[in-house]
Amino acid sequence: MVGFLRWLWRYRNYVVIVLTPLILLPLPLLSPTPQAKCGYVIILMALYWCTECIPLAVTALLPVILFPMMGIMESNEVCIQYLKDSNMLFIGGLLVAIAVERWNLHRRIALQVLLVVGVKPSLLMIGFMGTTAFLSMWISNTASTAMMVPIANAVLQQLCDTEANAEERDGNVSAAMDGQDNQALEMEDTKESQELRQRAIDMDNDDHKCMKENDIISSLDSAAPEVCDRSLEAELRRLKREQKYMNLTKGMSLCVCYAASIGGTATLTGTTPNVIMKGQIDELYPDNGGIINFASWFGFSFPNMVLMLVLSWLWLQVMFLGFNFKKTFGCGTKNEGDREAFQVIKDEYKKLGRMSFAEGCVLTIFTLLVLLWFTREPGFIPGWATVLFNKDKTYVTDGTVAILMSTLFFCIPSKLPRCCGRSEDGAPAEAPSPLLSWDIVHEKMPWNILLLLGGGFALAHGSEKSGLSLWLGESLIPLQNIPPFAISILLCLLVAMFTECSSNTATTTLFLPILASMATAIKIHPLYVMFPCTISASLAFMLPVATPPNAIAFSYGNLKVIDMAKAGFVLNIVGVLTINIAINTWGVSMFQLNTFPSWANATKVP
């Protein structure tokens, strides 16, 4: 029996692949309606996505197979869902991120910010969180975390080493003044002191839970009667210092990965769920008038991101640095350890050298792209796209701008062209390569995400065509008796829990069409539930496997799962409350969420 169970565990993915569609098969057979057939596809994809028995992107392709074979949609209609305007926006944003990473512009920005904030623990945590959040607004959360965590560990290691050296120098000076140099040296060579040191190391590994201060004192007494109080104090200082920096390392690693997830919520292209929501809104409510664009998303989400970041910093500060804000902020003092740690950051910045022509070009294109996004349709005045192109229809979108600016990376040389230039051997110089080549893009572009986006749009369209969305909406009408704010909070908590064990992309793809149907049925503004739940899908703070940034921090920070779970549980609650405060305050003013919009009734008719 044990052998069979082991075999079953090893082959679990194949078992899920085969058994899941067979177990669900009675649904379309007993109720051969379009709604039941579409429900079969959605449940099957949800289980495949949750178990990851096959790659997520491959699961996203199932509508191409199953929708036509079940008579839900024609193949041409399904396939066209996989490359829509939202996909173009995502591709353009990714090309900008790849160019920024290619020329190390993100590293220059990060180090410059750290040079400004300094190396005091609280200020250092603020600096790392703010920098990581800003970078995650424009490049992938994984890339920003992978870059910032090693920098944080290097700075903390330098602080720890410098403090240890300072304590050692102080101890040697004091011992020399008392004429105890020889005694200290002899003690270091004794067998008993070696055993004591080993016990101290073991105590560090167990987070100081296996030995108390009295045990150290008794060990010192039994090890050598001539051990002085100064040796005891030095040993206790060492243990206290190592415990302090262990906590600081944990806190710094967590602050970086959490800031990456939080920062990605601030911009429309910051993380995949944001783009999915825009695509779903445009798909399900085609007459919404472009209510979600780069400017409107930023206007709502950026203040929420800042609030969430500050509250997260406060919680991590209390959890890992303690309540002594006066000490952790430094109060204007700057010791030798701070100077040496600051020098580490300064040396890393010097290695980058002066800003190159390529970096300047990437920064210019990036800045222009952001300005064009903000001014395309700002909302309070007609944007440049409305004045020049969109007088009759929405010809130019954020996706158009993203592709326009990102193509410039393939057209502009990476070095300033020179007339009659010569190479080192005297031959005519070759033309410089462009800022981006397709080989680099092909290597770094996450093509699987594009298929995931398309699979989500195909599911939403299939739900509409089959009438499943209408059926779900009618089934959820009893929810009218629950206050909207309570519905929003409960749904956010549900999504936040679900995304801990499933990818945020899959979570958003599955939930948003259902939320849209519910909102239409109970006559509340669709954005009132879709916006908070989309951001909640990024609140995966509790488990190392929840997101790649969590996994990166877990591998660097000497963390235990319980450390991440304790910190993340509180932040999940804080995040859900913050999002709902935002949606019920400035969100209501921005999107008129207290009224049911006319465009929400104009969904596509099956």
Side-chain angles (χ1 to χ4, degrees), residues 109-171:
I109 294 170
L111 293 173
Q112 185 64 60
V113 172
L114 293 177
L115 287 174
V116 172
V117 299
V119 294
K120 290 298 180 182
S122 290
L123 295 176
L124 195 63
M125 188 175 280
I126 292 174
F128 274 107
M129 292 187 77
T131 306
T132 307
F134 174 77
L135 293 175
S136 294
M137 290 163 59
W138 315 107
I139 67 175
S140 75
N141 301 348
T142 305
S144 56
T145 306
M147 184 195 71
M148 295 300 292
V149 170
I151 297 175
N153 276 269
V155 172
L156 292 179
Q157 186 61 50
Q158 183 60 49
L159 282 170
C160 184
D161 292 345
T162 305
E163 190 171 325
N165 293 336
E167 289 180 2
E168 185 178 352
R169 286 194 301 270
D170 293 343

Side-chain angles (χ1 to χ4, degrees), residues 584-596:
N584 285 287
T585 50
W586 63 86
V588 171
S589 301
M590 287 183 64
F591 302 109
Q592 287 77 50
L593 299 181
N594 50 2
T595 60
F596 185 70

Side-chain angles (χ1 to χ4, degrees), residues 34-35 38 72 461-473 606:
Q35 294 94 327
C38 186
I72 297 173
H461 193 71
S463 298
E464 288 294 327
K465 292 287 290 185
S466 66
L468 180 62
S469 293
L470 183 63
W471 177 83
L472 278 174

Side-chain angles (χ1 to χ4, degrees), residues 226 318 388 499:
E226 67 274 12
V318 169
L388 297 177
T499 197

Side-chain angles (χ1 to χ4, degrees), residues 310-369:
V310 171
L311 295 176
S312 301
W313 169 76
L314 285 172
W315 167 239
L316 293 174
Q317 159 83 24
V318 169
M319 185 173 180
F320 292 102
L321 301 181
F323 289 93
N324 194 340
F325 288 90
K326 181 178 179 181
K327 182 178 179 181
T328 55
F329 271 101
C331 297
T333 61
K334 195 167 187 178
N335 55 37
E336 185 178 352
D338 296 339
R339 285 190 290 271
E340 293 189 17
F342 186 80
Q343 189 62 40
V344 170
I345 302 175
K346 201 169 183 179
D347 291 342
E348 288 295 318
Y349 188 78
K350 285 182 179 178
K351 288 178 185 178
L352 296 176
R354 297 179 60 185
M355 180 176 282
S356 64
F357 175 76
E359 284 182 88
C361 290
V362 171
L363 180 60
T364 302
I365 294 173
F366 169 74
T367 306
L368 285 174
L369 173 62

Side-chain angles (χ1 to χ4, degrees), residues 38-233:
C38 186
Y40 172 82
V41 176
I42 290 176
I43 295 171
L44 178 63
M45 292 179 67
L47 292 174
Y48 277 5
W49 269 331
C50 292
T51 58
E52 296 190 36
C53 56
I54 58 177
L56 299 180
V58 177
T59 302
L61 290 172
L62 289 181
V64 178
I65 304 169
L66 297 177
F67 279 174
M69 294 180 70
M70 290 184 163
I72 297 173
M73 281 196 294
E74 295 179 2
S75 181
N76 287 339
E77 192 175 359
V78 179
C79 293
I80 203 172
Q81 305 300 318
Y82 283 79
L83 206 60
K84 301 172 75 87
D85 177 70
S86 297
N87 298 72
M88 291 294 105
L89 172 63
F90 192 64
I91 290 173
L94 286 174
L95 288 173
V96 174
I98 291 170
V100 168
E101 293 178 44
R102 167 77 175 83
W103 295 105
N104 261 343
L105 183 60
H106 61 318
R107 188 174 181 84
R108 184 180 295 276
I109 294 170
L111 293 173
Q112 185 64 60
V113 172
L114 293 177
L115 287 174
V116 172
V117 299
V119 294
K120 290 298 180 182
S122 290
L123 295 176
L124 195 63
M125 188 175 280
I126 292 174
F128 274 107
M129 292 187 77
T131 306
T132 307
F134 174 77
L135 293 175
S136 294
M137 290 163 59
W138 315 107
I139 67 175
S140 75
N141 301 348
T142 305
S144 56
T145 306
M147 184 195 71
M148 295 300 292
V149 170
I151 297 175
N153 276 269
V155 172
L156 292 179
Q157 186 61 50
Q158 183 60 49
L159 282 170
C160 184
D161 292 345
T162 305
E163 190 171 325
N165 293 336
E167 289 180 2
E168 185 178 352
R169 286 194 301 270
D170 293 343
N172 290 339
V173 170
S174 299
M177 291 176 63
D178 294 341
Q180 295 180 348
D181 285 334
N182 292 333
Q183 182 182 358
L185 289 172
E186 288 172 3
M187 178 188 168
E188 288 180 0
D189 293 333
T190 61
K191 180 180 179 181
E192 293 86 347
S193 65
Q194 293 294 333
E195 292 176 355
L196 172 62
R197 188 175 294 108
Q198 184 60 44
R199 291 186 66 185
I201 292 172
D202 293 340
M203 188 180 74
D204 288 345
N205 293 335
D206 294 337
D207 282 342
H208 304 292
K209 293 178 182 177
C210 300
M211 185 185 291
K212 296 181 180 179
E213 185 174 320
N214 292 334
D215 297 329
I216 301 174
I217 296 172
S218 62
S219 298
L220 282 166
D221 291 339
S222 62
E226 67 274 12
V227 173
C228 62
D229 292 340
R230 186 175 294 103
S231 300
L232 171 62
E233 292 174 2

